[in-house]
Amino acid sequence: MSDMLLIINPGSTSTKIGVFEGERELFQETLRHSSEEIEKYETIFDQIDFRKDIIINILKEKNFDLKTLSAVVGRGGMLKPMESGTYKVNDTMIEDLKIGIQGQHASNLGGILANKIAGELNIPSFIVDPVVVDELEEVARISGVPELPRVSKFHALNQKAVAKRYSKESGVKYSDLNLIVVHMGGGVSVGAHRNGRVIDVNNALDGEGPFSPERAGTVPVGELIRMCYSGKHSEKEIYGKIVGKGGYVAYLNTNDARDVLKLAEEGNKKAILCLDAFIYQVSKSVGEMSTVLHGKIDGIILTGGIAYSEKVVSELKKRIGWIGEIIVYPGEDELLALAQGALRVLTGEEEAREYK
């Protein structure tokens, strides 16, 4: 019998869980939380028992025996910069997740919830490839302003998962490949993977790189500074223009790429221009990363929800197909990616890393 895993992926107003037997998903549930429920809690950490009880209750409703679990895996949060891999949750990690050492985010609850449930069962708890995975080369950190080094915050979980999937399917070790991975979802991250490490990538969390459904992307810095000091906007409002209310939201009042595609198909000129600009900017970022890899590209992987769009994929192929072979893995199966990370440790393929 394969290892049985409980996977926990917390969002701001939901908690997605899944139960896996090996890589086979037995079931998954998205547990929705109303704004009234969430607003009762002063901090994200205060939500722990509330979310844990909901998880346990739904498992009981499904008559699932928690004692059959081999491990519990949580989505990694805003921890210190770290190497890619699967990490066993320890006290140092729990403390950093509690205080939000790099910011408060619902994903910080993943490791804490996993540890709390696993601790009661006397089994291990893990996190896998959080957004703060940092494998940048030193030259990639230089921004031009010493006080503002470039940082690595991106869709590490999905980028690593699809890179390893391609490695397995192509029969070439991940550590022997040069790949460009393009994650296209609410945010966009374009990573240069060389020999198993993401040596350069845009800070997708803070909106750097191509614009996206709800990120502004890299914007004109001078104009941004003048906007900040105009006296018309608070810091929160400015950040909202970059993250959350930028991109498609700002131009078309929707963060759903499907809406933009539909409007474009109907002939909406603004939607057509925004879609073209999105493809244009993503293509430029791929070209940029191709220079990081000296033009030696084994494959360009398109992934994330927007990769389901035949229109976007076909237009990207026209612009970047000359750089390398295009591979499309649409969507982002985060629950499976988390399960696979834990299985690599439980089966002895990898060693669990220690968070310090």
Side-chain angles (χ1 to χ4, degrees):
M1 178 178 169
S2 300
D3 288 298
M4 197 77 74
L5 306 169
L6 170 63
I7 315 298
I8 304 171
N9 186 359
S12 56
T13 59
S14 67
T15 305
K16 186 178 285 188
I17 66 167
V19 172
F20 285 75
E21 184 177 356
E23 293 191 15
R24 184 170 70 93
E25 181 185 287
L26 300 184
F27 63 85
Q28 69 166 273
E29 291 285 335
T30 299
L31 314 173
R32 306 288 180 186
H33 315 309
S34 68
S35 55
E36 290 79 14
E37 287 175 312
I38 295 298
E39 286 168 4
K40 291 177 184 177
Y41 303 97
E42 188 172 339
T43 68
I44 288 172
F45 178 66
D46 291 338
Q47 300 171 23
I48 288 294
D49 288 336
F50 159 70
R51 296 211 193 205
K52 173 180 171 282
D53 289 345
I54 290 177
I55 293 168
I56 297 301
N57 287 337
I58 197 71
L59 293 173
K60 285 180 179 177
E61 285 178 20
K62 290 185 170 294
N63 296 315
F64 178 75
D65 184 2
L66 283 118
K67 292 179 182 177
T68 62
L69 289 172
S70 303
V72 186
V73 192
R75 179 71 187 269
M78 299 295 289
L79 293 157
K80 289 178 277 206
M82 59 173 66
E83 292 276 327
S84 170
T86 299
Y87 287 75
K88 192 167 182 178
V89 180
N90 60 22
D91 291 342
T92 304
M93 182 186 294
I94 293 291
E95 187 58 32
D96 283 354
L97 290 171
K98 283 181 182 178
I99 65 175
I101 197 163
Q102 282 210 78
Q104 293 291 346
H105 191 274
S107 61
N108 290 5
L109 296 171
I112 301 173
L113 284 165
N115 181 257
K116 200 169 183 67
I117 293 171
E120 294 174 2
L121 298 167
N122 198 30
I123 57 176
S125 55
F126 302 103
I127 66 163
V128 183
D129 288 333
V131 296
V132 294
V133 164
D134 185 348
E135 300 170 332
L136 297 187
E137 291 192 325
E138 287 308 304
V139 70
R141 301 182 191 280
I142 302 297
S143 69
V145 179
E147 298 91 340
L148 302 173
R150 292 187 64 241
V151 298
S152 178
K153 293 179 182 176
F154 70 110
H155 305 92
L157 181 65
N158 191 44
Q159 284 219 16
K160 288 285 184 176
V162 295
K164 289 173 182 176
R165 175 180 170 182
Y166 175 73
S167 164
K168 187 175 182 180
E169 291 179 1
S170 64
V172 182
K173 291 181 181 178
Y174 177 41
S175 58
D176 291 335
L177 288 168
N178 276 4
L179 301 170
I180 298 173
V181 181
V182 184
H183 177 105
M184 300 180 291
V188 172
S189 60
V190 183
H193 296 233
R194 186 182 70 194
N195 303 136
R197 298 174 65 81
V198 183
I199 62 171
D200 201 349
V201 67
N202 58 296
N203 178 355
L205 187 71
D206 287 335
E208 182 184 77
F211 81 85
S212 69
E214 52 187 36
R215 303 283 201 280
T218 301
V219 298
V221 177
E223 293 303 315
L224 178 62
I225 291 169
R226 282 185 276 278
M227 181 184 282
C228 290
Y229 286 92
S230 67
K232 297 178 182 178
H233 310 282
S234 67
E235 179 183 344
K236 184 177 180 181
E237 288 169 339
I238 293 287
Y239 189 74
K241 286 179 177 292
I242 303 298
V243 178
K245 297 180 180 178
Y248 287 168
V249 174
Y251 286 99
L252 298 164
N253 201 33
T254 179
N255 65 355
D256 193 328
R258 293 168 297 185
D259 292 341
V260 177
L261 286 160
K262 187 170 185 294
L263 287 169
E265 287 171 4
E266 293 169 351
N268 183 295
K269 290 183 178 179
K270 186 183 281 189
I272 292 170
L273 180 59
C274 283
L275 184 59
D276 287 347
F278 172 80
I279 292 163
Y280 179 80
Q281 290 189 17
V282 170
S283 299
K284 284 207 303 183
S285 288
V286 171
E288 183 180 32
M289 290 305 171
S290 73
T291 69
V292 171
L293 299 172
H294 300 278
K296 297 176 182 177
I297 316 297
D298 295 304
I300 301 168
I301 301 175
L302 306 179
T303 186
I306 297 177
Y308 281 112
S309 166
E310 292 181 7
K311 166 73 172 176
V312 171
V313 169
S314 66
E315 291 300 317
L316 282 171
K317 284 182 177 180
K318 290 176 188 177
R319 284 193 175 272
I320 62 176
W322 59 274
I323 297 174
E325 178 192 5
I326 309 292
I327 304 100
V328 184
Y329 295 141
E332 52 175 318
D333 199 338
E334 293 176 333
L335 297 184
L336 175 59
L338 290 166
Q340 289 170 331
L343 287 169
R344 287 193 292 271
V345 169
L346 293 172
T347 59
E349 183 180 337
E350 293 178 10
E351 286 189 18
R353 290 182 174 271
E354 182 183 358
Y355 180 77
K356 298 177 181 179

